[in-house]
Amino acid sequence: MVDLYGQYLRHKEEIDLAMQEVISSTAFIKGPDVQSFQEELAAYMGVEHCIACGNGTDALQVAMMALDLQPGDEVITTPFTFIATIEVISLLKLTPVLVDVEPGTFNLDPEKLQVALSEKTRAIVPVHLFGQAADMNRILEFAGRHNLFVIEDNAQAIGAAYRLADGSTKIAGALGHIGCTSFFPSKDLGAYGDGGALFTNDLDLGQKIRSMTNHGMTKRYHYDHVGVNSRLDTIQAAILRIKLRHLDAYNQARQKVAAAYDAAFTTIPELQVPVRNQDSEHIFHQYTLQVNNGSRDALRDFLKAHDIPAMVYYPVPLHLQAAYQQLGYQEGDFPVTEALCKKVISLPVHTEMEEDQLVHIIDTVQKFFSK
Ligand SMILES: *Cc1c(COP(=O)(O)O)cnc(C)c1O
């Protein structure tokens, strides 16, 4: 699905040197590269504060802790996302309240927010799935009207530009009260291990988040909050500094692959190519087709037989996962998500895609549907 080694070879000299420098300095934790990376990423995102942490899941957890959400508070998100989103809500003894997604964009359907709202609702967690932002204009408007926090799960859309209702443009992850991202190796800005970050424009929140990712420490050995130990290693920061300079080029490379797929697949009646949110750029963390004639699994097997690693994100909606049965949801509660889990298939899309690989994938998909 991705070619991390091929991408490494492009930057090998620079990355090897940067890693070697960290090792020689032995500043493995909180080394100068961490501070520099935070500053550079904040500038890229157009936010005041960027706080690096151990992974994207921790970023979401710390965001909810920093906003002082309390057990029993309700947090609205969708059942069509990676497990981390709902996991941290549950770990903090908050109550996840799920709403269905839009059938085209796969993102939280703002139409469904009103029904999910209660006296206990404190926050919304839109997930910018597969590379494009959710309908943030409507989500932010709703949140503002009801005094709710917005925590963006931006693990999959870092760098996607978003047009706000006032005509200005910001980057996904810089739109809510707190934005969260992941540097898991296969993410669009991937480290060589785990990593994550939080973004905010609020000074107090920024300070609280910084403290909370470091055991809640404010002054050395003085703890004002119950925190966690969640840091980005200096080696990862050094690598990410190099890769950040190429992030826009990475995103453009995936957009090029997506455009070629679109051109080839729009004419296949059994397929729905990715639908764009009109206000969001799509950076194609995944290129996800909907197979509308029930042959998704057969297509996946056919691709596999031709050495093409297609994936299903996600095969089981979160509300039907064994670990989350106590939430009390049932099959039928989120029909759009449930249908998508049976229809979606993601094709390889990455920064190192060669023309012959692309042609092979396109030919194979076309061959399957012309049978
Ligand atoms: C990857 C991902 C996360 C979690 O990030 P980790 O760094 O793996 O903890 C959270 N939400 C979404 C939507 C993701 O894709």
Side-chain angles (χ1 to χ4, degrees), residues 54-60 80-87 126-130 153-157 180-187 193-197 285 314:
N55 57 66
T57 308
D58 282 357
L60 288 164
F80 195 57
T81 170
F82 180 62
I83 195 75
T85 320
I86 187 176
E87 177 181 72
V127 183
H128 303 322
L129 206 69
F130 300 156
D153 182 342
N154 191 36
Q156 300 191 7
C180 299
T181 199
S182 163
F183 307 123
F184 185 84
S186 63
K187 300 286 158 92
D194 276 311
H285 174 63
Y314 297 92

mmCIF file of all heavy atoms in Angstrom, residues 54-60 80-87 126-130 153-157 180-187 193-197 285 314, ligand 1:
data_model
loop_
_atom_site.group_PDB
_atom_site.id
_atom_site.type_symbol
_atom_site.label_atom_id
_atom_site.label_comp_id
_atom_site.label_asym_id
_atom_site.label_seq_id
_atom_site.Cartn_x
_atom_site.Cartn_y
_atom_site.Cartn_z
ATOM 1 N N GLY A 54 3.675 11.251 21.902
ATOM 2 C CA GLY A 54 4.131 9.904 21.584
ATOM 3 C C GLY A 54 3.452 9.233 20.407
ATOM 4 O O GLY A 54 4.043 8.407 19.723
ATOM 5 N N ASN A 55 2.187 9.563 20.151
ATOM 6 C CA ASN A 55 1.448 8.981 19.033
ATOM 7 C C ASN A 55 0.122 9.717 18.875
ATOM 8 O O ASN A 55 -0.258 10.531 19.736
ATOM 9 C CB ASN A 55 1.227 7.470 19.242
ATOM 10 C CG ASN A 55 0.516 7.171 20.541
ATOM 11 O OD1 ASN A 55 -0.641 7.529 20.722
ATOM 12 N ND2 ASN A 55 1.229 6.538 21.475
ATOM 13 N N GLY A 56 -0.595 9.408 17.824
ATOM 14 C CA GLY A 56 -1.852 10.107 17.547
ATOM 15 C C GLY A 56 -2.948 9.780 18.547
ATOM 16 O O GLY A 56 -3.795 10.627 18.849
ATOM 17 N N THR A 57 -2.921 8.567 19.067
ATOM 18 C CA THR A 57 -3.922 8.175 20.065
ATOM 19 C C THR A 57 -3.732 9.002 21.341
ATOM 20 O O THR A 57 -4.696 9.523 21.908
ATOM 21 C CB THR A 57 -3.785 6.666 20.378
ATOM 22 O OG1 THR A 57 -3.808 5.944 19.144
ATOM 23 C CG2 THR A 57 -4.899 6.184 21.269
ATOM 24 N N ASP A 58 -2.484 9.141 21.774
ATOM 25 C CA ASP A 58 -2.200 9.990 22.942
ATOM 26 C C ASP A 58 -2.631 11.428 22.683
ATOM 27 O O ASP A 58 -3.129 12.111 23.585
ATOM 28 C CB ASP A 58 -0.699 9.988 23.264
ATOM 29 C CG ASP A 58 -0.252 8.728 23.996
ATOM 30 O OD1 ASP A 58 -1.111 7.882 24.298
ATOM 31 O OD2 ASP A 58 0.962 8.606 24.246
ATOM 32 N N ALA A 59 -2.426 11.908 21.470
ATOM 33 C CA ALA A 59 -2.808 13.290 21.157
ATOM 34 C C ALA A 59 -4.301 13.481 21.424
ATOM 35 O O ALA A 59 -4.714 14.459 22.069
ATOM 36 C CB ALA A 59 -2.469 13.621 19.701
ATOM 37 N N LEU A 60 -5.109 12.539 20.971
ATOM 38 C CA LEU A 60 -6.558 12.635 21.193
ATOM 39 C C LEU A 60 -6.880 12.568 22.683
ATOM 40 O O LEU A 60 -7.714 13.326 23.193
ATOM 41 C CB LEU A 60 -7.270 11.486 20.464
ATOM 42 C CG LEU A 60 -7.309 11.601 18.939
ATOM 43 C CD1 LEU A 60 -7.669 10.256 18.305
ATOM 44 C CD2 LEU A 60 -8.313 12.670 18.511
ATOM 45 N N PHE A 80 -17.301 5.317 11.685
ATOM 46 C CA PHE A 80 -16.494 4.938 10.516
ATOM 47 C C PHE A 80 -15.146 5.628 10.621
ATOM 48 O O PHE A 80 -14.869 6.643 9.977
ATOM 49 C CB PHE A 80 -17.216 5.345 9.227
ATOM 50 C CG PHE A 80 -16.647 4.672 7.991
ATOM 51 C CD1 PHE A 80 -16.575 3.292 7.893
ATOM 52 C CD2 PHE A 80 -16.196 5.419 6.916
ATOM 53 C CE1 PHE A 80 -16.065 2.671 6.757
ATOM 54 C CE2 PHE A 80 -15.678 4.811 5.767
ATOM 55 C CZ PHE A 80 -15.617 3.434 5.693
ATOM 56 N N THR A 81 -14.298 5.079 11.508
ATOM 57 C CA THR A 81 -12.979 5.654 11.756
ATOM 58 C C THR A 81 -12.100 4.566 12.359
ATOM 59 O O THR A 81 -12.559 3.458 12.624
ATOM 60 C CB THR A 81 -13.057 6.879 12.702
ATOM 61 O OG1 THR A 81 -11.733 7.273 13.098
ATOM 62 C CG2 THR A 81 -13.848 6.585 13.957
ATOM 63 N N PHE A 82 -10.824 4.910 12.553
ATOM 64 C CA PHE A 82 -9.912 4.007 13.242
ATOM 65 C C PHE A 82 -10.312 3.956 14.725
ATOM 66 O O PHE A 82 -10.785 4.941 15.280
ATOM 67 C CB PHE A 82 -8.477 4.508 13.059
ATOM 68 C CG PHE A 82 -7.454 3.650 13.728
ATOM 69 C CD1 PHE A 82 -7.278 2.334 13.348
ATOM 70 C CD2 PHE A 82 -6.654 4.167 14.742
ATOM 71 C CE1 PHE A 82 -6.334 1.535 13.978
ATOM 72 C CE2 PHE A 82 -5.705 3.378 15.365
ATOM 73 C CZ PHE A 82 -5.547 2.058 14.982
ATOM 74 N N ILE A 83 -10.067 2.840 15.351
ATOM 75 C CA ILE A 83 -10.545 2.565 16.714
ATOM 76 C C ILE A 83 -10.090 3.617 17.740
ATOM 77 O O ILE A 83 -10.786 3.892 18.724
ATOM 78 C CB ILE A 83 -10.098 1.151 17.158
ATOM 79 C CG1 ILE A 83 -10.871 0.668 18.388
ATOM 80 C CG2 ILE A 83 -8.605 1.078 17.381
ATOM 81 C CD1 ILE A 83 -12.265 0.240 18.084
ATOM 82 N N ALA A 84 -8.910 4.231 17.503
ATOM 83 C CA ALA A 84 -8.332 5.147 18.496
ATOM 84 C C ALA A 84 -9.300 6.259 18.897
ATOM 85 O O ALA A 84 -9.341 6.675 20.057
ATOM 86 C CB ALA A 84 -7.047 5.769 17.947
ATOM 87 N N THR A 85 -10.070 6.731 17.937
ATOM 88 C CA THR A 85 -10.947 7.872 18.193
ATOM 89 C C THR A 85 -11.917 7.572 19.333
ATOM 90 O O THR A 85 -12.087 8.371 20.257
ATOM 91 C CB THR A 85 -11.734 8.232 16.910
ATOM 92 O OG1 THR A 85 -10.879 8.111 15.777
ATOM 93 C CG2 THR A 85 -12.275 9.639 16.984
ATOM 94 N N ILE A 86 -12.540 6.409 19.269
ATOM 95 C CA ILE A 86 -13.547 6.052 20.274
ATOM 96 C C ILE A 86 -12.890 5.440 21.520
ATOM 97 O O ILE A 86 -13.388 5.566 22.637
ATOM 98 C CB ILE A 86 -14.583 5.087 19.638
ATOM 99 C CG1 ILE A 86 -15.764 4.807 20.555
ATOM 100 C CG2 ILE A 86 -13.969 3.807 19.213
ATOM 101 C CD1 ILE A 86 -16.815 3.930 19.880
ATOM 102 N N GLU A 87 -11.725 4.853 21.323
ATOM 103 C CA GLU A 87 -11.001 4.201 22.425
ATOM 104 C C GLU A 87 -10.657 5.196 23.534
ATOM 105 O O GLU A 87 -10.883 4.935 24.714
ATOM 106 C CB GLU A 87 -9.716 3.604 21.846
ATOM 107 C CG GLU A 87 -8.779 2.945 22.799
ATOM 108 C CD GLU A 87 -7.550 2.454 22.016
ATOM 109 O OE1 GLU A 87 -6.739 3.294 21.589
ATOM 110 O OE2 GLU A 87 -7.439 1.257 21.816
ATOM 111 N N PRO A 126 -14.629 15.501 14.867
ATOM 112 C CA PRO A 126 -14.693 15.144 13.453
ATOM 113 C C PRO A 126 -13.391 14.459 13.052
ATOM 114 O O PRO A 126 -12.320 14.858 13.500
ATOM 115 C CB PRO A 126 -14.850 16.487 12.736
ATOM 116 C CG PRO A 126 -14.476 17.538 13.720
ATOM 117 C CD PRO A 126 -14.421 16.937 15.087
ATOM 118 N N VAL A 127 -13.516 13.419 12.253
ATOM 119 C CA VAL A 127 -12.341 12.699 11.754
ATOM 120 C C VAL A 127 -12.201 13.048 10.278
ATOM 121 O O VAL A 127 -13.149 12.871 9.512
ATOM 122 C CB VAL A 127 -12.521 11.173 11.907
ATOM 123 C CG1 VAL A 127 -11.267 10.437 11.444
ATOM 124 C CG2 VAL A 127 -12.861 10.812 13.345
ATOM 125 N N HIS A 128 -11.051 13.576 9.893
ATOM 126 C CA HIS A 128 -10.851 13.950 8.482
ATOM 127 C C HIS A 128 -10.364 12.703 7.736
ATOM 128 O O HIS A 128 -9.168 12.517 7.514
ATOM 129 C CB HIS A 128 -9.850 15.090 8.368
ATOM 130 C CG HIS A 128 -10.242 16.308 9.164
ATOM 131 N ND1 HIS A 128 -11.541 16.743 9.281
ATOM 132 C CD2 HIS A 128 -9.488 17.195 9.869
ATOM 133 C CE1 HIS A 128 -11.576 17.844 10.028
ATOM 134 N NE2 HIS A 128 -10.343 18.131 10.406
ATOM 135 N N LEU A 129 -11.317 11.863 7.379
ATOM 136 C CA LEU A 129 -10.978 10.517 6.928
ATOM 137 C C LEU A 129 -10.403 10.468 5.518
ATOM 138 O O LEU A 129 -10.903 11.135 4.611
ATOM 139 C CB LEU A 129 -12.229 9.636 7.008
ATOM 140 C CG LEU A 129 -11.962 8.147 7.185
ATOM 141 C CD1 LEU A 129 -11.377 7.841 8.561
ATOM 142 C CD2 LEU A 129 -13.239 7.345 6.970
ATOM 143 N N PHE A 130 -9.396 9.665 5.355
ATOM 144 C CA PHE A 130 -8.795 9.313 4.062
ATOM 145 C C PHE A 130 -8.127 10.487 3.339
ATOM 146 O O PHE A 130 -7.745 10.357 2.184
ATOM 147 C CB PHE A 130 -9.809 8.652 3.122
ATOM 148 C CG PHE A 130 -10.415 7.381 3.659
ATOM 149 C CD1 PHE A 130 -11.662 6.939 3.206
ATOM 150 C CD2 PHE A 130 -9.753 6.603 4.599
ATOM 151 C CE1 PHE A 130 -12.219 5.753 3.686
ATOM 152 C CE2 PHE A 130 -10.309 5.419 5.089
ATOM 153 C CZ PHE A 130 -11.554 5.002 4.627
ATOM 154 N N ASP A 153 -9.660 15.063 14.641
ATOM 155 C CA ASP A 153 -8.779 13.909 14.443
ATOM 156 C C ASP A 153 -8.239 14.030 13.029
ATOM 157 O O ASP A 153 -8.888 13.652 12.057
ATOM 158 C CB ASP A 153 -9.540 12.597 14.640
ATOM 159 C CG ASP A 153 -8.625 11.384 14.481
ATOM 160 O OD1 ASP A 153 -7.535 11.530 13.894
ATOM 161 O OD2 ASP A 153 -9.010 10.289 14.937
ATOM 162 N N ASN A 154 -7.044 14.608 12.953
ATOM 163 C CA ASN A 154 -6.457 14.891 11.644
ATOM 164 C C ASN A 154 -5.291 13.947 11.336
ATOM 165 O O ASN A 154 -4.320 14.324 10.699
ATOM 166 C CB ASN A 154 -5.986 16.358 11.605
ATOM 167 C CG ASN A 154 -5.627 16.799 10.212
ATOM 168 O OD1 ASN A 154 -6.260 16.382 9.252
ATOM 169 N ND2 ASN A 154 -4.601 17.624 10.080
ATOM 170 N N ALA A 155 -5.415 12.712 11.794
ATOM 171 C CA ALA A 155 -4.347 11.734 11.554
ATOM 172 C C ALA A 155 -4.201 11.408 10.066
ATOM 173 O O ALA A 155 -3.175 10.905 9.639
ATOM 174 C CB ALA A 155 -4.625 10.457 12.344
ATOM 175 N N GLN A 156 -5.230 11.709 9.270
ATOM 176 C CA GLN A 156 -5.210 11.267 7.867
ATOM 177 C C GLN A 156 -5.250 12.400 6.848
ATOM 178 O O GLN A 156 -5.354 12.130 5.653
ATOM 179 C CB GLN A 156 -6.387 10.307 7.611
ATOM 180 C CG GLN A 156 -6.339 9.065 8.489
ATOM 181 C CD GLN A 156 -7.326 7.987 8.076
ATOM 182 O OE1 GLN A 156 -7.984 8.096 7.048
ATOM 183 N NE2 GLN A 156 -7.428 6.942 8.871
ATOM 184 N N ALA A 157 -5.217 13.656 7.295
ATOM 185 C CA ALA A 157 -5.369 14.741 6.302
ATOM 186 C C ALA A 157 -4.402 15.892 6.547
ATOM 187 O O ALA A 157 -4.726 17.051 6.290
ATOM 188 C CB ALA A 157 -6.809 15.249 6.284
ATOM 189 N N CYS A 180 -5.415 17.196 16.278
ATOM 190 C CA CYS A 180 -4.539 16.089 16.654
ATOM 191 C C CYS A 180 -4.052 15.401 15.391
ATOM 192 O O CYS A 180 -4.808 15.247 14.441
ATOM 193 C CB CYS A 180 -5.307 15.057 17.479
ATOM 194 S SG CYS A 180 -5.947 15.731 19.013
ATOM 195 N N THR A 181 -2.783 14.978 15.411
ATOM 196 C CA THR A 181 -2.323 14.203 14.269
ATOM 197 C C THR A 181 -1.406 13.076 14.715
ATOM 198 O O THR A 181 -1.013 13.003 15.891
ATOM 199 C CB THR A 181 -1.648 15.084 13.197
ATOM 200 O OG1 THR A 181 -1.636 14.361 11.957
ATOM 201 C CG2 THR A 181 -0.219 15.452 13.568
ATOM 202 N N SER A 182 -1.097 12.195 13.785
ATOM 203 C CA SER A 182 -0.263 11.023 14.032
ATOM 204 C C SER A 182 0.885 10.998 13.045
ATOM 205 O O SER A 182 0.703 11.342 11.871
ATOM 206 C CB SER A 182 -1.113 9.757 13.854
ATOM 207 O OG SER A 182 -0.278 8.614 13.692
ATOM 208 N N PHE A 183 2.054 10.585 13.517
ATOM 209 C CA PHE A 183 3.204 10.380 12.620
ATOM 210 C C PHE A 183 3.524 8.897 12.469
ATOM 211 O O PHE A 183 4.673 8.516 12.214
ATOM 212 C CB PHE A 183 4.427 11.144 13.140
ATOM 213 C CG PHE A 183 4.162 12.596 13.394
ATOM 214 C CD1 PHE A 183 4.383 13.139 14.659
ATOM 215 C CD2 PHE A 183 3.682 13.420 12.386
ATOM 216 C CE1 PHE A 183 4.134 14.483 14.911
ATOM 217 C CE2 PHE A 183 3.425 14.766 12.627
ATOM 218 C CZ PHE A 183 3.648 15.299 13.893
ATOM 219 N N PHE A 184 2.520 8.038 12.669
ATOM 220 C CA PHE A 184 2.676 6.607 12.380
ATOM 221 C C PHE A 184 3.317 6.489 10.995
ATOM 222 O O PHE A 184 3.015 7.266 10.107
ATOM 223 C CB PHE A 184 1.289 5.945 12.424
ATOM 224 C CG PHE A 184 1.315 4.462 12.275
ATOM 225 C CD1 PHE A 184 1.538 3.642 13.375
ATOM 226 C CD2 PHE A 184 1.105 3.867 11.037
ATOM 227 C CE1 PHE A 184 1.557 2.264 13.230
ATOM 228 C CE2 PHE A 184 1.132 2.489 10.889
ATOM 229 C CZ PHE A 184 1.357 1.688 11.990
ATOM 230 N N PRO A 185 4.239 5.517 10.811
ATOM 231 C CA PRO A 185 5.043 5.504 9.578
ATOM 232 C C PRO A 185 4.255 5.606 8.266
ATOM 233 O O PRO A 185 4.714 6.252 7.322
ATOM 234 C CB PRO A 185 5.781 4.159 9.674
ATOM 235 C CG PRO A 185 5.915 3.915 11.140
ATOM 236 C CD PRO A 185 4.675 4.482 11.773
ATOM 237 N N SER A 186 3.086 5.000 8.199
ATOM 238 C CA SER A 186 2.348 5.034 6.929
ATOM 239 C C SER A 186 1.462 6.263 6.781
ATOM 240 O O SER A 186 0.788 6.431 5.761
ATOM 241 C CB SER A 186 1.500 3.773 6.787
ATOM 242 O OG SER A 186 0.540 3.726 7.825
ATOM 243 N N LYS A 187 1.448 7.145 7.771
ATOM 244 C CA LYS A 187 0.658 8.377 7.627
ATOM 245 C C LYS A 187 1.376 9.319 6.659
ATOM 246 O O LYS A 187 2.521 9.096 6.279
ATOM 247 C CB LYS A 187 0.452 9.047 8.998
ATOM 248 C CG LYS A 187 -0.292 8.163 10.000
ATOM 249 C CD LYS A 187 -1.787 8.040 9.715
ATOM 250 C CE LYS A 187 -2.405 6.820 10.337
ATOM 251 N NZ LYS A 187 -2.982 6.961 11.653
ATOM 252 N N GLY A 193 8.806 5.329 13.380
ATOM 253 C CA GLY A 193 8.354 4.802 14.660
ATOM 254 C C GLY A 193 7.073 5.532 14.988
ATOM 255 O O GLY A 193 6.430 6.083 14.088
ATOM 256 N N ASP A 194 6.720 5.586 16.266
ATOM 257 C CA ASP A 194 5.502 6.282 16.655
ATOM 258 C C ASP A 194 5.750 7.768 16.878
ATOM 259 O O ASP A 194 6.861 8.179 17.223
ATOM 260 C CB ASP A 194 4.949 5.674 17.955
ATOM 261 C CG ASP A 194 4.105 4.442 17.695
ATOM 262 O OD1 ASP A 194 3.218 4.513 16.818
ATOM 263 O OD2 ASP A 194 4.327 3.412 18.356
ATOM 264 N N GLY A 195 4.695 8.543 16.718
ATOM 265 C CA GLY A 195 4.757 9.974 17.015
ATOM 266 C C GLY A 195 3.400 10.597 16.797
ATOM 267 O O GLY A 195 2.536 10.013 16.130
ATOM 268 N N GLY A 196 3.202 11.762 17.381
ATOM 269 C CA GLY A 196 1.938 12.478 17.207
ATOM 270 C C GLY A 196 2.116 13.919 17.616
ATOM 271 O O GLY A 196 3.200 14.315 18.080
ATOM 272 N N ALA A 197 1.080 14.721 17.427
ATOM 273 C CA ALA A 197 1.157 16.126 17.821
ATOM 274 C C ALA A 197 -0.235 16.696 18.018
ATOM 275 O O ALA A 197 -1.216 16.180 17.478
ATOM 276 C CB ALA A 197 1.912 16.954 16.782
ATOM 277 N N HIS A 285 -4.829 10.420 1.537
ATOM 278 C CA HIS A 285 -4.175 9.455 2.419
ATOM 279 C C HIS A 285 -4.568 8.047 1.966
ATOM 280 O O HIS A 285 -3.740 7.131 1.946
ATOM 281 C CB HIS A 285 -4.602 9.697 3.863
ATOM 282 C CG HIS A 285 -4.101 8.663 4.812
ATOM 283 N ND1 HIS A 285 -2.762 8.465 5.028
ATOM 284 C CD2 HIS A 285 -4.744 7.743 5.572
ATOM 285 C CE1 HIS A 285 -2.611 7.477 5.899
ATOM 286 N NE2 HIS A 285 -3.786 7.017 6.232
ATOM 287 N N TYR A 314 -12.960 0.595 6.561
ATOM 288 C CA TYR A 314 -12.746 -0.343 7.656
ATOM 289 C C TYR A 314 -13.781 -1.448 7.491
ATOM 290 O O TYR A 314 -14.918 -1.141 7.153
ATOM 291 C CB TYR A 314 -12.911 0.387 8.991
ATOM 292 C CG TYR A 314 -11.849 1.487 9.129
ATOM 293 C CD1 TYR A 314 -12.111 2.784 8.709
ATOM 294 C CD2 TYR A 314 -10.597 1.184 9.647
ATOM 295 C CE1 TYR A 314 -11.135 3.766 8.810
ATOM 296 C CE2 TYR A 314 -9.624 2.180 9.767
ATOM 297 C CZ TYR A 314 -9.895 3.459 9.327
ATOM 298 O OH TYR A 314 -8.942 4.433 9.413
HETATM 299 C C1 LIG B 1 -3.675 6.488 12.816
HETATM 300 C C2 LIG B 1 -4.894 7.093 13.390
HETATM 301 C C3 LIG B 1 -5.001 7.411 14.754
HETATM 302 C C4 LIG B 1 -3.985 6.998 15.786
HETATM 303 O O1 LIG B 1 -2.692 7.344 15.559
HETATM 304 P P1 LIG B 1 -1.507 6.488 16.239
HETATM 305 O O2 LIG B 1 -0.323 7.346 16.025
HETATM 306 O O3 LIG B 1 -1.433 5.181 15.531
HETATM 307 O O4 LIG B 1 -1.832 6.338 17.672
HETATM 308 C C5 LIG B 1 -6.143 8.039 15.203
HETATM 309 N N1 LIG B 1 -7.149 8.339 14.366
HETATM 310 C C6 LIG B 1 -7.107 8.025 13.050
HETATM 311 C C7 LIG B 1 -8.258 8.391 12.181
HETATM 312 C C8 LIG B 1 -5.993 7.385 12.530
HETATM 313 O O5 LIG B 1 -5.961 7.079 11.229
#
